[in-house]
Amino acid sequence: MVCFGVSPFPSSELVLLCLVLGAVSSFALELNLTDSGKATCLYAKWQMNFTIHYETTRKIYTIVTISDLGNATYSGSTCGDYQSGPKIAVQFGSSFSWTVNFTKEVSTYSIDSISFSYDTNDNTTFPDAKEKGIFTVYDPVAFRIPLNDIFRCNSISTLEKNDVIQHYWDVHIQAFAQNGTLSTKEFLCDEDKISTTVVSVVHTTMPSLTTTPIPKEKPEVGSYSVNNVNGTCLLATMGLQLNITQDKVASVININPNTTDFTGSCHSQTALLSLNSSNIKYLNFVFAVKNENRFYLKEVNVSMYFINGSVFSIANNNLSYWDAPLGSSYMCNKEQMVSVSGAFQINTFDLRVQPFNIIEGKYSTAQECSLDDDTILIPIIVGAGLSGLIVVIVIAYLIGRRKNYAGYQTL
């Protein structure tokens, strides 16, 4: 038996099942499976998203990020029986399904395997996909947890296989619950153990959030481009500075364009610029067309490694930055911030970008950001000067009138 309800995360009460998930949302999938006697057999609360790389008919690789699971269904989730263990089965949209199987031994239970399937016949999600069909990625996790313990992993865990990257965080799971009762004893993943017990390892690489991060010099400006069969289809010039907060630790990182590789893809309605280096798995900028006459930065996805071995991953597909008319470029020479989430911001310097309608491999006329527009200072200065002049005239008039009034009193 599977029951459903809606409850925000974190929450003090569980209403059997809640499901709302965004790239940087504060809601989570939450599931309470009960047996025929209405006793809890499996409890799970978690967040996840998926990044899929696929090849188009133009032999260009592009990226799709799946983070909105608000339409999920749970057909096939079960407590298990004597022949098979519990299973969580999630379907979202018409193109995706995700399954986790659990097994039990004498003193432990295991997250045995995780599988994820996607259908590239969905032309809305996978436009111009070269290979059509249902693809399944299977990961034999075999992660053991002491029986009667609840597994907790707030840190981001990543599974990468073939063309799919899976991210999980804020995970709380207990399978094979005894007598319908959830345990209060937690079994932590290694990442959570590091962040809670070996703080010194983190602090040797990044300053504490309670102190002011060490200021970074202005990053070096890099030039990036994406080509397709028609030539250059995307141009970007910018200095990039990453501001990251993870486990209450802040870090500022400058992107070095000399050690950064880049790739991407271009379509009629979307364009992608993807950066990567030795410590950055990917930093993706996704542009989109709106109202058929303007473009803007719609999405940023990042996954990177820290020296201590931890992984930082964030995705947000609901941005609205760098807005300019199609056929032009967007330019902002002064420092500008792109706020991807509360934990991740990008400061840009000497920015110029054009993701559509490149002619002869060169930038078109630029639309400047408001920060660069100094012409607004002229009316402000003139207005302030006129206001000051009026004040002086009024004061002089009042003083003169008072003197005249005093003279009549004397007479």
Side-chain angles (χ1 to χ4, degrees), residues 286-301:
V286 180
F287 301 87
V289 173
K290 67 177 181 180
N291 302 326
E292 301 300 326
N293 60 1
R294 301 186 71 86
F295 72 83
Y296 69 106
L297 177 65
K298 180 181 185 295
E299 182 176 345
V300 170
N301 308 309

Side-chain angles (χ1 to χ4, degrees), residues 385-403:
L386 289 175
S387 298
L389 181 60
I390 292 172
V391 170
V392 170
I393 293 172
V394 171
I395 292 174
Y397 170 76
L398 292 175
I399 292 173
R401 187 175 181 182
R402 179 175 295 180
K403 287 181 178 180

Side-chain angles (χ1 to χ4, degrees), residues 178-235:
Q178 301 298 301
N179 302 319
T181 303
L182 297 177
S183 175
T184 58
K185 184 180 180 182
E186 292 184 333
F187 181 78
L188 305 183
C189 64
D190 291 338
E191 291 82 2
D192 278 16
K193 291 177 183 178
I194 292 174
S195 63
T196 57
T197 62
V198 193
V199 180
S200 59
V201 174
V202 178
H203 280 269
T204 58
T205 59
M206 291 180 289
S208 170
L209 184 61
T210 58
T211 61
T212 302
I214 300 174
K216 285 280 186 176
E217 67 278 4
K218 184 177 177 180
E220 184 175 349
V221 176
S223 296
Y224 312 98
S225 62
V226 176
N227 298 316
N228 60 14
V229 293
N230 297 318
T232 301
C233 58
L234 183 152
L235 289 173

